[in-house]
Amino acid sequence: MSWWQDTVCYELYPRAFADSDGDGTGDLAGATARLGHIAELGADAVWITPFYPSPLADGGYDIADHTGVAPDLGTPEDFDRLTSRAHELGLKLIVDLVPNHTSDRHPWFREALAAGPGSAERARYLFRAGRGPSGQLPPNDWQSAFGGPAWTRVADGEWYCHLHAPEQPDLNWRSPEVRSGFADVLRYWLDRGVDGFRVDVAHALFKAEGLPDAGPGQHRDPLRNHLMPYYDQEELHPLYREWRTLLDTHPAPPGAVPPRDRVMVAEAAVFDPARLARYIRPDEMHQAFNFAFLEARWDAKELRDVIDASLPSPGGGAVTWLLSSHDAVRPVTRLGSAARARAAALLMLALPGAAYLYQGEELGLPQAAVPDDRLRDPLWERSGHTERGRDGSRVPLPWSGDSAPYGFTTGAPDSTWLPQPDGWARYTVAAQEHDPASTLNLYRAALRLRREHPAPDPTAAPHWYSAPGDPYLAFRRAGLTCVVNLGPAPLAWAELGVTGRPVLASGALEGEAVPGDTAVWVV
Ligand code: NOJ
């Protein structure tokens, strides 16, 4: 089995993880100093989200230099120290690759604006003439995922495409220069010792020839994503095969995993399991995020359907599970209670396959309320102030202390990248450390037990005790059985045909019964 097939990978959002220099923004040195927290938790790998130079129009996913380090986060040497420390602690390190778009401050886009229509510089992006008698209308009806048209007009009258914010112009992936430029980016980070890449909007790089209209209802029903002319195009796959060959053959520096063990994980918002399976064929990416699991409601049937669609893995590729990310509402809030989030964690961590945790999930953080004047997410402006966006899950972590900044920075509480709420003292790592009932200790115990009971085949379905229509989930992973009671009434687990003794529970057990919104592991 390869390490990535059942890895537990911790997502680290650097500006909100730990600050080392007192400016209120988390940085690479802060992350290095706190990596021990991730190792102690029992994760196997870290995925660090963009730390590259960026004007921050989209939290760092608008990159001005794909091989640089943002000055407020540190230097290339700080990145090397982070990598070495991760490897010393036995953690793999995965970085973000953002190939669909650049920042509008990227030298390529500046050159494109300066060079004008018809130039080779513009051919790296998707510039088009507008429709209407004077080209005053966008070239087609495409909508940005952040709201509003996916086109912005420049001074000379041409329009450029951006599936996200206007500050994130989409690249033209049919340009040989773009293709070779990104192969260099991959080589650059491999040479610096990374163990893999998380590929941003991996379903969007190629747009259908002729850029046809997409029709009404765009971005409203994710189940239709694969039908959009800007998503899930066939030409993606030869590109990912090229990258896979590069990963499998490029020499590895000391400390990094050898070629063939480095990974690519697709952030592809494709919900049709058969379409998603195509990204993780044996010669393409290694993993794809299973967003259907993250999006499922606290409902036994809904969760069972997602698990059954994912296992056995349709294309035989690796399966992943995740409950949170820097883009999602934190599970405590999304699922409706801390009890449910804790039970969901035990469900996720018992399933065969890999799991992704997002920083703060292990502390049971709820979604934070961020005041209007501190919101940074472009969704807020682009939606005309109807969608608050994702900042509530990007608030700096509470490490210690009774009040903000909770050990996150030595700077002033109001200096932090996003404001931390009052009342987070009980969520700090220090407060949870010695409390056996804390969420932090639940995650630590779960990761330890999970390691002791590896699933023999992470692509195979577990043995089910519950039937698809049951209001609870019960299944076996190797020697460990997981029972999740999603309903309100207690469930006598012995009556389910499950034998053994409980070794971990997300809440207090009532005799031989599992209370509502509770999960238990039995060996
Ligand atoms: C997905 C990233 O996770 C998200 O934060 C970002 O806004 C979009 N891709 C665009 O890069």
Side-chain angles (χ1 to χ4, degrees):
M1 195 196 301
S2 306
W3 69 270
W4 42 268
Q5 287 187 288
D6 65 350
T7 189
V8 173
C9 183
Y10 185 97
E11 180 191 348
L12 191 161
Y13 192 82
R15 287 188 169 78
F17 187 69
D19 178 27
S20 72
D21 61 5
D23 68 357
T25 295
D27 48 38
L28 296 182
T32 306
R34 295 278 196 187
L35 274 186
H37 168 72
I38 302 173
E40 219 176 307
L41 186 64
D44 311 293
V46 175
W47 148 39
I48 181 166
T49 63
F51 51 85
Y52 315 111
S54 164
L56 296 181
D58 180 21
Y61 281 91
D62 48 318
I63 300 174
D65 173 3
H66 290 79
T67 55
V69 172
D72 60 333
L73 296 193
T75 62
E77 291 68 37
D78 289 326
F79 178 77
D80 291 342
R81 281 189 277 273
L82 175 77
T83 313
S84 318
R85 181 71 186 132
H87 289 156
E88 257 167 42
L89 291 168
L91 297 165
K92 314 276 191 290
L93 185 70
I94 296 174
V95 296
D96 239 291
L97 183 78
V98 185
N100 180 65
H101 43 263
T102 68
S103 159
D104 61 351
R105 312 280 175 83
H106 190 286
W108 278 356
F109 195 71
R110 291 175 165 239
E111 285 163 23
L113 289 184
S119 61
E121 288 82 353
R122 283 212 176 174
R124 296 182 189 127
Y125 291 90
L126 296 170
F127 278 89
R128 293 290 184 278
R131 289 189 293 199
S134 56
Q136 78 282 17
L137 299 172
N140 64 26
D141 70 350
W142 294 1
Q143 295 294 299
S144 146
F146 293 157
W151 294 93
T152 289
R153 199 172 195 193
V154 300
D156 54 46
E158 277 205 324
W159 297 76
Y160 68 89
C161 177
H162 52 85
L163 290 181
H164 298 88
E167 297 86 351
Q168 292 168 296
D170 278 37
L171 287 162
N172 169 20
W173 269 92
R174 297 194 182 98
S175 151
E177 261 185 281
V178 168
R179 211 164 170 123
S180 70
F182 271 86
D184 288 344
V185 173
L186 285 165
R187 286 190 203 97
Y188 176 88
W189 291 110
L190 291 176
D191 287 342
R192 283 208 107 94
V194 307
D195 303 306
F197 300 91
R198 174 265 192 195
V199 182
D200 191 62
V201 281
H203 56 309
L205 276 51
F206 287 90
K207 280 76 181 175
E209 287 284 7
L211 311 185
D213 280 348
Q218 297 171 53
H219 307 296
R220 287 215 200 101
D221 176 7
L223 296 177
R224 296 183 65 243
N225 274 1
H226 62 287
L227 304 173
M228 296 296 120
Y230 39 74
Y231 287 157
D232 202 29
Q233 300 293 306
E234 200 52 44
E235 284 161 279
L236 292 166
H237 299 288
L239 175 68
Y240 297 150
R241 287 197 273 276
E242 225 172 87
W243 288 359
R244 177 63 177 261
T245 305
L246 199 159
L247 254 68
D248 283 353
T249 55
H250 192 73
V257 299
R260 297 204 165 278
D261 269 343
R262 295 182 292 216
V263 297
M264 280 187 292
V265 49
E267 193 240 356
V270 171
F271 285 76
D272 178 313
R275 296 299 300 181
L276 188 60
R278 303 175 84 245
Y279 290 77
I280 51 170
R281 287 178 283 193
D283 57 350
E284 295 196 26
M285 300 219 192
H286 302 72
Q287 301 176 329
F289 291 127
N290 192 346
F291 288 122
F293 185 72
L294 184 149
E295 303 263 320
R297 284 174 303 178
W298 188 244
D299 175 84
K301 181 178 173 344
E302 221 169 279
L303 285 160
R304 175 75 195 249
D305 284 351
V306 174
I307 297 167
D308 284 346
S310 314
L311 288 170
S313 155
V319 179
T320 63
W321 308 103
L322 71 163
L323 290 168
S324 59
S325 83
H326 66 284
D327 291 328
V329 174
R330 288 208 178 265
V332 168
T333 307
R334 182 168 46 82
L335 298 176
S337 71
R340 288 181 178 177
R342 286 166 61 100
L346 291 197
L347 163 64
M348 169 173 79
L349 294 171
L351 287 166
Y356 279 79
L357 314 178
Y358 172 55
Q359 67 183 42
E361 177 183 331
E362 78 282 18
L363 303 178
L365 293 184
Q367 189 79 353
V370 177
D372 292 3
D373 62 344
R374 296 289 301 274
L375 288 173
R376 293 170 168 271
D377 192 330
L379 264 166
W380 175 239
E381 290 302 330
R382 299 275 300 169
S383 69
H385 296 183
T386 57
E387 287 186 49
R388 303 191 71 74
R390 302 157 293 178
D391 292 326
S393 59
R394 301 173 178 182
V395 166
L397 285 194
W399 292 95
S400 58
D402 293 330
S403 56
Y406 303 107
F408 168 76
T409 176
T410 54
D414 61 2
S415 69
T416 55
W417 142 260
L418 283 168
Q420 297 165 303
D422 292 333
W424 268 21
R426 66 195 165 113
Y427 296 116
T428 65
V429 174
Q432 297 199 36
E433 187 90 49
H434 302 293
D435 173 3
S438 70
T439 299
L440 176 60
N441 281 319
L442 178 76
Y443 268 81
R444 284 179 178 164
L447 294 191
R448 195 183 57 245
L449 281 165
R450 176 189 157 93
R451 211 173 263 204
E452 287 168 11
H453 297 276
D457 177 357
T459 66
H463 172 80
W464 286 100
Y465 294 101
S466 56
D470 287 339
Y472 61 91
L473 301 170
F475 59 92
R476 194 174 66 229
R477 160 207 178 87
L480 184 149
T481 298
C482 175
V483 179
V484 192
N485 182 2
L486 292 102
L491 182 74
W493 53 266
E495 284 169 28
L496 312 172
V498 173
T499 52
R501 72 193 156 86
V503 285
L504 189 63
S506 63
L509 297 181
E510 296 165 0
E512 298 290 278
V514 185
D517 291 341
T518 303
V520 58
W521 284 5
V522 178
V523 295

